[in-house]
């Protein structure tokens, strides 16, 4: 009796083991672990992590300037022979409104590797193709093209400057500045 | 004792203020490609890592999207209804000098696909009370993608970019 009961339990257990995690349609689901064929890593560091227009701003009438530029550096390691075109841009993130007014993304400027500041250009592209937008809201991109990193670590320094020449008054600003990286 | 106090004071003075903290983050891999035999009943599983190099914790949110190429232009778009991505966690708080691995499973792919995991790294802004009328601080958020190319053949990334009329050089 005990043997029969044990055998029945074993049979049921065996059935449970071989019955796949089937969908209602009866298909057997297989999970395949992707075997990535590229080795790379990207490190980004931006400072400062917050911008306070109340500490050391230049407030004249309705103008306010961020106290320091947002400086981002990044390093990139890739497998030999890998070439990547990439760029950096930033948006106003969530709506930057509040008692201090509205911040326009069109007033961002950037320089790459200590070159001259240039206004962000929404038409920045790779080989004629606009870089993808990663966030909602107003977006602008660095007019510099950081391209052609292959098989080495490079450090490109991007300095982002934010200026709102009009429309800002002393007060709290809600929202965020989003530093976007885009690459293919 | 006096020397110890002096050294301690110097060390405390060298600690940067919050607004000057460096938010160093590593994403790995930033770009990857994989071969996968498309079938309705197959799930693709993978992972990527976020490393927090900072001395403070960071908050991370993952937003999966797809990338398409329209007339030679890359466009980031929301996931189509037929593709489902399951993350073991869609957000995380990563401690100082810690590494966090996000695991994912993708179902519903029937053709070459580019998945973009947009990683948003955020810091909490602390208000300043410095005597001026501006009491808030504006966050600087990093949006770093992990781009995944999936094809049923090898050299997936090159294949997709070439088909889109884009050179990756």
């Amino acid at each position: 009796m005990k043997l029969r009961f044990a055998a029945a339990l074993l049979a049921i257990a065996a059935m449970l083991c071989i019955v796949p995690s089937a969908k209602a349609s009866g298909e057997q689901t297989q999970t395949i672990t992707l075997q990535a064929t590229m080795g790379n890593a990207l490190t980004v560091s931006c400072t400062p992590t917050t911008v306070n227009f109340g500490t050391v701003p230049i407030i004249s009438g309705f103008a306010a300037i961020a106290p320091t530029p947002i400086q981002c550096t990044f390093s990139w390691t890739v497998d030999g022979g890998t070439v990547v075109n990439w760029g950096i841009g930033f948006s106003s993130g969530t709506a930057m409104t509040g008692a201090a007014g509205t911040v326009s993304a069109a007033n961002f400027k950037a320089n790459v590797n200590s070159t001259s500041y240039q206004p962000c250009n929404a038409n920045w592209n790779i080989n004629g193709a606009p870089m993808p937008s990663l966030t909602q809201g107003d977006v602008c991109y660095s007019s510099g093209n950081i391209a052609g990193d292959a098989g080495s670590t490079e450090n490109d320094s991007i300095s982002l400057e934010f200026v709102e020449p009009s429309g800002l008054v002393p007060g709290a600003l809600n929202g965020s500045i989003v530093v976007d990286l885009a690459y293919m | 004792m006096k020397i110890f106090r002096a050294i301690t004071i110097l060390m405390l003075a060298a600690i940067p203020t919050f607004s000057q903290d460096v938010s160093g983050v590593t994403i790995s891999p930033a770009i990857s490609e994989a071969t996968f035999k498309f079938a309705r009943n197959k799930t693709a599983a993978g992972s990527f890592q976020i490393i927090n190099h900072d001395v403070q914790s960071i908050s991370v949110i993952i937003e999966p999207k797809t990338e398409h190429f329209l007339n030679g232009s890359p466009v980031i778009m929301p996931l189509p209804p037929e593709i489902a991505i399951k993350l073991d966690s869609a957000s995380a708080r990563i401690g100082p000098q810690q590494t966090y691995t996000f695991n994912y499973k993708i179902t519903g792919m029937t053709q070459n696909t580019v998945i973009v995991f947009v990683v948003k790294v955020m810091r909490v802004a602390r208000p300043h009370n410095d005597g001026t009328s501006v009491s808030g601080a504006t966050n600087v958020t990093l949006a770093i993608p992990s781009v995944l190319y999936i094809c049923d053949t090898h050299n997936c990334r090159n294949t997709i970019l070439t088909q889109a009329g884009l050179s990756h050089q």
Side-chain angles (χ1 to χ4, degrees):
Chain A
M1 186 67 176
K2 288 184 179 178
L3 286 175
R4 288 180 184 175
F5 182 69
L9 285 180
L10 283 174
I12 293 172
M15 288 174 61
L16 290 175
C17 287
I18 63 176
V19 170
S21 54
K23 300 179 181 179
S25 61
E27 291 181 293
Q28 181 175 353
T29 301
Q30 299 179 15
T31 299
I32 310 297
T33 300
L34 298 175
Q35 298 297 323
T37 58
M38 300 176 68
N40 55 74
L42 167 71
T43 299
V44 182
S45 173
C46 289
T47 182
T49 56
T50 59
V51 177
N52 190 314
F53 294 93
T55 50
V56 193
I58 302 174
I59 299 180
S60 173
F62 294 96
I65 301 176
T68 59
I70 302 170
Q71 292 183 310
C72 294
T73 61
F74 47 95
S75 60
W76 171 267
T77 59
V78 300
D79 289 340
T82 303
V83 182
V84 179
N85 288 327
W86 57 337
I88 187 169
F90 53 122
S91 70
S92 59
T94 56
M96 297 180 67
T97 59
T102 301
V103 171
S104 168
N107 289 316
F108 287 126
K109 296 182 180 180
N111 74 58
V112 178
N113 294 335
S114 301
T115 57
S116 61
Y117 276 102
Q118 298 183 29
C120 291
N121 184 353
N123 296 320
W124 183 85
N125 58 68
I126 295 175
N127 297 330
M131 284 298 292
S133 166
L134 295 179
T135 63
Q136 298 297 317
D138 294 330
V139 184
C140 65
Y141 295 103
S142 164
S143 59
N145 186 353
I146 309 158
D149 298 328
S152 62
T153 301
E154 295 217 3
N155 293 290
D156 288 301
S157 174
I158 308 292
S159 180
L160 307 174
E161 182 182 77
F162 172 73
V163 177
E164 180 58 55
S166 63
L168 281 180
V169 297
L173 265 178
N174 301 313
S176 62
I177 299 170
V178 182
V179 178
D180 294 324
L181 264 69
Y183 34 77
M184 299 188 296
Chain B
M1 180 63 75
K2 288 184 179 178
I3 294 175
F4 177 76
R5 285 180 185 170
I7 294 174
T8 303
I9 292 172
L10 285 174
M11 290 176 64
L12 290 174
I15 294 175
T17 58
F18 174 80
S19 62
Q20 297 300 317
D21 285 347
V22 175
S23 59
V25 177
T26 292
I27 185 168
S28 178
I31 298 179
S32 60
E33 60 179 8
T35 303
F36 180 75
K37 296 299 180 185
F38 299 114
R40 191 180 302 274
N41 64 337
K42 283 189 177 180
T43 298
S47 64
F48 57 91
Q49 289 188 329
I50 304 296
I51 305 172
N52 176 20
H53 301 287
D54 205 342
V55 295
Q56 297 186 4
S57 297
I58 58 174
S59 294
V60 175
I61 292 177
I62 310 298
E63 295 181 0
K65 298 181 184 292
T66 59
E67 185 171 28
H68 298 266
F69 298 89
L70 304 176
N71 299 322
S73 301
V75 181
I76 300 294
M77 300 178 67
L79 292 175
E82 64 271 16
I83 294 181
I85 295 180
K86 183 178 180 181
L87 290 161
D88 58 353
S89 55
S91 63
R93 188 171 180 84
I94 306 176
Q97 308 293 313
Q98 297 296 308
T99 299
Y100 193 93
T101 300
F102 288 93
N103 297 297
Y104 57 81
K105 291 183 178 180
I106 308 173
T107 57
M109 293 184 296
T110 57
Q111 56 185 353
N112 295 350
T113 303
V114 182
I115 301 293
V116 180
F117 295 97
V118 181
V119 180
K120 290 192 172 180
V121 183
M122 296 177 292
R123 300 289 296 273
V124 177
R126 297 177 183 174
H128 283 258
N129 296 314
D130 53 8
T132 67
S133 57
V134 178
S135 59
T138 305
N139 287 321
V140 177
T141 301
L142 303 180
I144 312 169
S146 178
V147 184
L148 171 64
Y149 293 83
I150 307 176
C151 302
D152 56 1
T153 57
H154 294 291
N155 298 318
C156 181
R157 176 169 166 263
N158 185 43
T159 298
I160 290 178
L161 293 180
T162 300
Q163 288 176 347
L166 295 169
S167 170
H168 63 289
Q169 291 202 6

